[in-house]
Structure formats: structure tokens, C-alpha cells
């Protein structure tokens, strides 16, 4: 079994910062990406690790968000700075496991509002 647990979400004012964490356990090959979703919209990629440990970001978060991970601890992080109201969403951690199956956590809510 694979379990992903996100944490670190909350209410923050515009311009503020949050750091999301994802703890992974089980038969994980790679904890690799953050996605987000708002009601009525499709889940969208926020940031990810690609081949060779390079990183890739959505244009809307470039320069503000930083993805990082600790492979030894199966932890994934997302440092979010200069937050905007449009960053409000449920943020999900994504991992790939055996048989190259995708796994998702339950998400953590980030609300950016004054």
C-alpha cells in the first residue's frame, strides 16, 4: 500500500508564504509532483521533478514556488512565496509506485485571502 499525506496548508494573506509537505510511505518509486485543484476546474500541475532531477513549474508559479524533496525520507515539499488569491486551491502530492501507477494524497487546502 502507498500512502501520501499532505500538510502545511492554511489561510494566508496575499504576499505571504506557506510550506507544504508530503509524507510518503509504502512501495514508492518517486514522490515527484504537486498539483492543485479548485472546484469546477481540472487538477493542474504546479511543480514537478522530471528526468535527471530537473524541475518544472507552471508558468503561473515560476519564481514564487520551489519544489524540493528528501528521497531518503520519502518527503516532498513545496515552498510557496508571494502568494496570490488565485493560488487558492487544494494542493495534492503525486507519487509513482510499482507498475508505474500514480498515487495521490487527500490534499491540503491553501486559502489566500485578506
Amino acid at each position: 500500500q502507498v500512502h501520501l499525506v499532505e500538510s502545511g496548508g492554511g489561510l494566508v494573506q496575499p504576499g505571504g508564504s506557506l510550506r507544504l509537505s508530503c509524507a510518503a510511505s509504502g512501495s514508492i518509486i518517486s514522490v515527484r509532483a504537486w498539483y492543485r485543484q479548485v472546484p469546477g476546474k481540472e487538477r493542474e500541475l504546479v511543480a514537478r521533478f522530471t528526468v535527471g532531477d530537473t524541475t518544472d513549474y507552471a508558468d503561473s508559479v515560476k519564481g514564487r514556488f520551489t519544489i524540493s524533496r528528501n528521497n531518503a525520507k520519502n518527503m516532498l515539499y513545496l515552498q510557496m512565496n508571494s502568494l496570490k488569491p488565485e493560488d487558492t486551491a487544494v494542493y495534492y502530492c503525486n507519487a509513482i509506485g510499482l507498475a508505474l501507477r500514480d498515487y495521490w494524497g487527500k490534499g491540503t487546502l491553501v486559502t489566500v485571502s485578506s
Side-chain angles (χ1 to χ4, degrees):
Q1 288 294 331
V2 172
H3 294 283
L4 303 175
V5 180
E6 302 94 337
S7 62
L11 174 63
V12 63
Q13 292 187 344
S17 298
L18 283 174
R19 188 190 193 213
L20 305 184
S21 298
C22 173
S25 61
S27 300
I28 297 289
I29 294 176
S30 175
V31 188
R32 61 182 180 175
W34 288 98
Y35 286 72
R36 68 186 180 187
Q37 188 171 23
V38 297
K41 293 190 176 181
E42 291 187 358
R43 192 171 296 187
E44 64 173 1
L45 175 69
V46 176
R48 65 179 174 179
F49 283 95
T50 60
V51 175
D53 264 0
T54 56
T55 55
D56 185 31
Y57 295 90
D59 287 343
S60 59
V61 307
K62 282 181 181 177
R64 301 188 297 122
F65 291 11
T66 302
I67 188 171
S68 61
R69 63 186 173 184
N70 184 324
N71 288 329
K73 296 183 177 180
N74 273 341
M75 293 291 297
L76 187 71
Y77 306 99
L78 186 68
Q79 178 67 42
M80 305 186 295
N81 298 328
S82 302
L83 282 160
K84 304 175 180 180
E86 51 264 43
D87 294 318
T88 296
V90 177
Y91 284 71
Y92 297 91
C93 175
N94 170 257
I96 187 168
L98 298 180
L100 303 183
R101 176 183 168 182
D102 269 313
Y103 291 90
W104 301 91
K106 293 184 178 181
T108 185
L109 176 63
V110 172
T111 303
V112 185
S113 175
S114 55

